[in-house]
Amino acid sequence: MNPFGDFEDQYRDYSNAKIAVLPVPYDKTSTWVKGADKGPEAFLEASLALENYDVETRTEVYRQGIATMPPIFNDETPEALCAAVENATHHLFRDGKFPVMIGGNHTCSIGSIRAAASRFMNLTVLQLDAHSDLRPEYEGTELNHACVMYQAQKLCPITQVGIRSQCIEELPYVQEGRIFYAHEIFDNNSWQNRAIATLSENVYVTIDLDVFDPSVLPSTGTPEPGGLSYYQVLHFLRSVFRSRNVVGVDIVELCPNPIDKASDYLAARLAYQLMTYKFS
């Protein structure tokens, strides 16, 4: 796989880098369109086309150092995959890095969320997603991509944004006041301060790319109409980064289309923007 971004090798050195990109090409628990295991490769390839200068903040975050870690190839079982991601993320935290995990489907996030919860007190997991992912079990495993936030909820409070698809069995696990449905927020920003008020001092952000409307990002395994716009997501997350200590991020569920690279580029651009918000 390519490294993240097109910049001088001196800014890729792990020992000096403040940011570590962790690719996890995993797709075994996907349940509709397959191909999320190709997401990290497409993401990294698209990142080579990024401009290093950010016009919003007038900064070049790559100068903080962005190391790209070896990809995690472990698809024996969901348990093994989550344990491998947890272990790798734990080491990144130990070394003082800001982890940016790129999937792969949403199962990958369970490992990095576990690592964050074991490392940081007073943590909230902030989920941006089309689906609430609160199933206790799905298709024979508690570690399906549809179970991510049920697992996270065992560890710390969660806040959910952009949700527009869930099954009735998930309703007992919904926390009123901490879930912001897409149909309630798509045409206004009044919800953003209320959502931020639910967050604790430390925040881990997990982004399923299907939070975006398919007209913005079509290349994902479970697209849902009625999603959020690019700047709606960015403006919200900018406020989160300004007001809370974001300890890590993952971006998952890119299912690349070989003849349409726009989604790949959006995912890479989003990651670079969030790195910028963290260190600008």
Side-chain angles (χ1 to χ4, degrees):
M1 289 187 185
N2 292 300
F4 182 90
D6 184 14
F7 42 80
E8 297 91 338
D9 286 345
Q10 70 186 86
Y11 298 110
R12 303 188 188 281
D13 179 57
Y14 180 80
S15 61
N16 297 321
K18 293 184 178 179
I19 301 162
V21 176
L22 177 64
V24 187
Y26 178 80
D27 197 33
K28 278 292 182 71
T29 59
S30 295
T31 50
W32 185 26
V33 180
K34 296 288 187 177
D37 56 327
K38 305 297 191 300
E41 184 176 8
F43 179 108
L44 292 171
E45 180 182 352
S47 76
L48 300 177
L50 292 170
E51 296 287 2
N52 294 329
Y53 176 73
D54 176 60
V55 298
E56 180 184 340
T57 61
R58 301 181 181 182
T59 62
E60 293 180 305
V61 72
Y62 79 91
R63 295 182 182 277
Q64 302 289 337
I66 305 174
T68 305
M69 309 307 294
I72 293 178
F73 293 105
N74 190 328
D75 61 1
E76 295 176 4
T77 64
E79 290 79 10
L81 182 280
C82 292
V85 174
E86 181 179 2
N87 184 60
T89 308
H90 171 75
H91 285 289
L92 297 179
F93 284 136
R94 181 201 62 188
D95 291 345
K97 311 303 179 186
F98 180 73
V100 179
M101 189 272 283
I102 55 173
N105 75 14
H106 216 160
T107 292
C108 305
S109 305
I110 296 172
S112 51
I113 290 170
R114 286 174 174 173
S118 68
R119 180 79 179 185
F120 296 94
M121 302 292 291
N122 201 20
L123 182 77
T124 301
V125 175
L126 171 61
Q127 172 203 20
L128 280 71
D129 202 326
H131 309 87
S132 49
D133 292 347
L134 288 170
R135 287 177 166 92
E137 181 271 342
Y138 193 61
E139 295 197 341
T141 176
E142 297 178 346
L143 302 179
N144 189 277
H145 69 97
C147 308
V148 175
M149 299 312 292
Y150 179 83
Q151 292 296 320
Q153 209 170 52
K154 293 179 178 180
L155 304 171
C156 61
I158 66 171
T159 296
Q160 303 178 279
V161 169
I163 309 304
R164 54 196 187 276
S165 179
Q166 61 187 175
C167 70
I168 196 167
E169 288 80 11
E170 294 176 88
L171 296 185
Y173 309 106
V174 169
Q175 297 182 6
E176 297 299 332
R178 304 189 70 94
I179 187 166
F180 297 82
Y181 291 104
H183 71 276
E184 298 172 338
I185 67 175
F186 78 97
D187 61 349
N188 66 89
N189 292 324
S190 62
W191 59 275
Q192 295 193 11
N193 287 337
R194 289 186 285 114
I196 291 172
T198 69
L199 305 176
S200 53
E201 173 190 0
N202 299 312
V203 177
Y204 180 89
V205 179
T206 179
I207 303 173
D208 185 326
L209 288 168
D210 64 27
V211 71
F212 293 103
D213 190 78
S215 64
V216 177
L217 191 145
S219 300
T220 186
T222 50
E224 287 283 348
L228 305 187
S229 71
Y230 183 69
Y231 278 115
Q232 197 172 18
V233 168
L234 274 194
H235 289 170
F236 171 59
L237 289 176
R238 180 179 62 191
S239 296
V240 171
F241 274 82
R242 285 177 174 176
S243 61
R244 299 295 189 273
N245 178 37
V246 178
V247 302
V249 170
D250 69 60
I251 300 174
V252 298
E253 298 286 358
L254 176 64
C255 187
N257 179 338
I259 61 173
D260 181 4
K261 300 295 187 180
S263 296
D264 308 349
Y265 185 83
L266 187 154
R269 185 71 178 83
L270 175 64
Y272 195 72
Q273 196 68 51
L274 299 186
M275 296 174 195
T276 298
Y277 289 159
K278 176 65 179 178
F279 290 100
S280 65

